Amino acid sequence: MAALRVGTRAVEGRFQGNGNGGGGGGVAPSVRLLAANRDGKPRGSHSAAPGKLRRRGGPMPLWRVAVFASVALNVATLALLLHHYATSPPPPPQHHSHDDAAPAARISSGSAGAARTTASSMAPSTGKPAVTPDSVINLDHGDPTMFEAFWRETGDAAELVIPGWQTMSYFSDVTNVCWFLEPELDRQVRRLHRTVGNAAVDGYHVLVGTGSTQLFMAALYALAPDAAVAGQPVSVVSTAPYYSSYPAVTDFLRSGLFRWAGDADTFAGDSYIELVCSPNNPDGAIREAVLASRTGNGRAVHDLAYYWPQYTPITKRADHDIMLFTVSKSTGHAGTRIGWALVKDTAIARKMTKFVELNTIGVSKDSQMRAAKGGGWRAAKVLAAVSEGYERRPEQPKGTVTPPPPPPRLFDFGRRKMVERWSMLRAAAAASGIFSLPDETSGYCNFTNQTAATNPAFAWLRCDREDVEDCASFLRGHKILTRSGAQFGADPRYVRVSMLDRDDAFLIFVNRLASLG
């Protein structure tokens, strides 16, 4: 429906045109029934002053009076209706899940006419559509939509409300090395690591980045000048199978500071930056640095994106010089694009901050406040909600026998899901007879105070059929998208499979995999 705009004269019921032809103080041009001459007097045989009809050459026929009255009444009604649409506030926004089929329509006005929009067209994206048994199942990316189910059940525990006047300045804390880091995010990062016990925070600078990938690039920038020898780019290495993005990101800008040099196990130099991903992406193995520099020109960056209780036992408090983390794999909020680094050395922290400053002039405060708990705001508390789930004990009301339910606990949810999914995947691989997986490992978890199995975020799946040399291509022929082992510096008979997709996609995947034998 066209959203016409109605002026005050129309809604007052005066259908006599005005001299300037405008809407005169209304929200838009008036709806006019009669035109006017330049002198302001009505023109036309049927112009009328309020309260009476003008006659010429005898009385007006009754049928004309009836038609005129009907038209006037219809226009008045239309004017009042449109004025209501133009001046009434819009209805509150509706929140729709990804499978809502028929969202309600809204009326929207605009200078060029009307436009019909729906709530679904204005709602945030959900990333991927629902799947069917015939769908192509895309498990190439580690998109952590598995965690949606948990956050849907937490209610307003991590809801975000940011007033329009907040977060406008570039600066967050000019006294901090990382001057664009929101103080509350700093506090919640330290709080979460102390709660979980997976990384030391005392004596460390917290740096924020647009995901941990930006901080990985910042670390290369900060370390390369110190490690460079004779003006040659520093070699960047990692033990194979290594994260497939390491080579791509390192060489993307063809920097003269650093270059990708491949597998750390085969590297023979003494000047290097070693990337240590633990648990490792793609195979989930626990890693340590394999190189040791004799001259001190070798440095290590520890990528601990998956060192959380839902994926692996927390066996020690990591205390490396540079440690990278991200909310995408800790809480599942990949779209928030927040990562953080824990850095010991102040000079290195300053150089990494400078890289982010030159690259993006800081990091979105809105995203930071979603990841932390905003000072006095109602919401923005993703990390805080995780910590509170393990720190806060629900109080039992006096006089009651049944204890209250525990607060939502993210890592408990994540571990249950990962244990269930790995059990299903191992059963499917066995049923197929042509796929194999790494042996299950376990260890004592200091966070849960019990022995726990390792359940990586990715499956390192091998196709053992003799006639299949490229497992990714084989699975693609069966509508399963994975990432080839060749991209990780490994045998193409391997593929990396994301274990973090939604339940519907994962169930179709394991059923399809089991049938391929």
Side-chain angles (χ1 to χ4, degrees), residues 101-310:
R106 288 185 55 187
I107 295 179
S108 174
S109 63
S111 60
R116 175 169 296 193
T117 59
T118 63
S120 62
S121 68
M122 294 178 289
S125 67
T126 56
K128 292 175 292 189
V131 296
T132 68
D134 294 326
S135 294
V136 174
I137 304 301
N138 189 347
L139 301 179
D140 175 87
H141 302 288
D143 200 22
T145 47
M146 177 190 82
F147 292 97
E148 285 179 355
F150 173 82
W151 291 107
R152 286 180 184 274
E153 296 299 322
T154 59
D156 63 355
E159 202 173 279
L160 179 65
V161 177
I162 301 179
W165 56 269
Q166 291 276 19
T167 70
M168 294 182 66
S169 173
Y170 286 114
F171 303 96
S172 295
D173 182 0
V174 295
T175 67
N176 197 351
V177 168
C178 188
W179 52 267
F180 44 82
L181 170 66
E182 283 293 301
E184 189 62 23
L185 178 58
D186 184 309
R187 190 176 80 85
Q188 293 301 336
V189 163
R190 296 177 189 274
R191 176 189 182 189
L192 182 60
H193 283 303
R194 291 188 179 108
T195 298
V196 176
N198 60 342
V201 291
D202 294 333
Y204 282 82
H205 298 281
V206 176
L207 313 181
V208 64
T210 305
S212 60
T213 298
Q214 187 183 39
L215 292 166
F216 159 57
M217 298 172 68
L220 297 184
Y221 167 81
L223 295 177
D226 291 342
V229 177
Q232 295 297 315
V234 174
S235 296
V236 180
V237 298
S238 186
T239 301
Y242 41 71
Y243 177 34
S244 58
S245 288
Y246 286 160
V249 172
T250 300
D251 287 343
F252 184 67
L253 295 179
R254 300 179 182 178
S255 171
L257 298 177
F258 42 79
R259 65 183 176 190
W260 179 251
D263 190 350
D265 281 335
T266 61
F267 181 73
D270 194 64
S271 178
Y272 59 84
I273 300 173
E274 182 180 358
L275 308 175
V276 183
C277 186
S278 184
N280 189 43
N281 177 357
D283 62 357
I286 300 300
R287 290 280 185 81
E288 298 287 348
V290 300
L291 299 179
S293 175
R294 299 183 304 274
T295 62
N297 287 327
R299 305 295 291 270
V301 177
H302 285 75
D303 183 348
L304 305 182
Y306 302 94
Y307 192 42
W308 296 99
Q310 64 265 48

Side-chain angles (χ1 to χ4, degrees), residues 147 305-306 308-313 329 415 418 453-457 500:
F147 292 97
Y306 302 94
W308 296 99
Q310 64 265 48
Y311 308 120
T312 188
K329 300 309 184 292
R415 175 151 290 277
M418 297 306 293
T454 298
N455 295 289
L500 302 180

Side-chain angles (χ1 to χ4, degrees), residues 34 42-48 53-56 58 60 64 68:
L34 302 175
R43 67 183 179 185
S45 60
H46 303 298
S47 298
L53 294 176
R54 183 180 177 184
R55 298 182 181 181
R56 187 179 68 176
M60 179 181 292
R64 290 191 176 184
F68 179 84

Side-chain angles (χ1 to χ4, degrees), residues 57 174 184 227 352 421 476 495 516:
V174 295
E184 189 62 23
M352 291 179 66
R421 290 187 173 198
R476 190 181 305 115
V495 292
L516 296 182

Side-chain angles (χ1 to χ4, degrees), residues 291-356:
L291 299 179
S293 175
R294 299 183 304 274
T295 62
N297 287 327
R299 305 295 291 270
V301 177
H302 285 75
D303 183 348
L304 305 182
Y306 302 94
Y307 192 42
W308 296 99
Q310 64 265 48
Y311 308 120
T312 188
I314 304 302
T315 58
K316 65 179 181 179
R317 192 183 301 271
D319 58 355
H320 308 290
D321 290 345
I322 302 175
M323 299 180 285
L324 307 181
F325 295 89
T326 174
V327 298
S328 66
K329 300 309 184 292
S330 55
T331 72
H333 291 84
T336 303
R337 304 311 307 129
I338 288 292
W340 66 90
L342 302 176
V343 183
K344 278 184 180 179
D345 187 271
T346 300
I348 296 299
R350 291 188 188 280
K351 291 179 180 178
M352 291 179 66
T353 298
K354 189 65 176 179
F355 177 89
V356 178

Side-chain angles (χ1 to χ4, degrees), residues 314-514:
I314 304 302
T315 58
K316 65 179 181 179
R317 192 183 301 271
D319 58 355
H320 308 290
D321 290 345
I322 302 175
M323 299 180 285
L324 307 181
F325 295 89
T326 174
V327 298
S328 66
K329 300 309 184 292
S330 55
T331 72
H333 291 84
T336 303
R337 304 311 307 129
I338 288 292
W340 66 90
L342 302 176
V343 183
K344 278 184 180 179
D345 187 271
T346 300
I348 296 299
R350 291 188 188 280
K351 291 179 180 178
M352 291 179 66
T353 298
K354 189 65 176 179
F355 177 89
V356 178
E357 175 188 331
L358 296 175
N359 189 232
T360 54
I361 317 180
V363 176
S364 166
K365 289 187 180 182
D366 292 356
S367 291
Q368 291 187 60
M369 297 317 299
R370 186 183 188 192
K373 179 181 179 182
W377 304 358
R378 182 179 72 88
K381 54 179 184 179
V382 168
L383 297 187
V386 177
S387 295
E388 288 169 2
Y390 294 93
E391 295 173 351
R392 180 170 58 88
R393 294 182 178 180
E395 297 182 1
Q396 184 169 338
K398 293 182 179 180
T400 62
V401 178
T402 304
R409 291 182 169 179
L410 175 71
F411 301 130
D412 292 17
F413 167 86
R415 175 151 290 277
R416 285 195 303 270
K417 296 293 287 187
M418 297 306 293
V419 168
E420 176 185 87
R421 290 187 173 198
W422 270 97
S423 176
M424 295 169 61
L425 179 59
R426 292 188 184 279
S432 73
I434 64 171
F435 295 104
S436 58
L437 292 159
D439 292 336
E440 183 180 273
T441 61
S442 62
Y444 186 80
C445 181
N446 296 325
F447 175 71
T448 61
N449 294 318
Q450 61 185 15
T451 299
T454 298
N455 295 289
F458 296 102
W460 193 230
L461 184 72
R462 177 185 167 91
C463 184
D464 298 322
R465 251 176 60 166
E466 293 183 359
D467 61 337
V468 175
E469 296 184 355
D470 187 338
C471 188
S473 295
F474 173 70
L475 291 174
R476 190 181 305 115
H478 295 278
K479 297 184 179 181
I480 301 172
L481 303 184
T482 58
R483 191 168 299 185
S484 172
Q487 294 183 252
F488 301 88
D491 192 325
R493 289 183 177 85
Y494 286 92
V495 292
R496 190 195 73 171
V497 181
S498 172
M499 300 289 288
L500 302 180
D501 212 302
R502 296 190 181 103
D503 286 343
D504 53 358
F506 189 81
L507 288 172
I508 294 172
F509 160 66
V510 292
N511 288 332
R512 197 173 293 174
L513 193 77

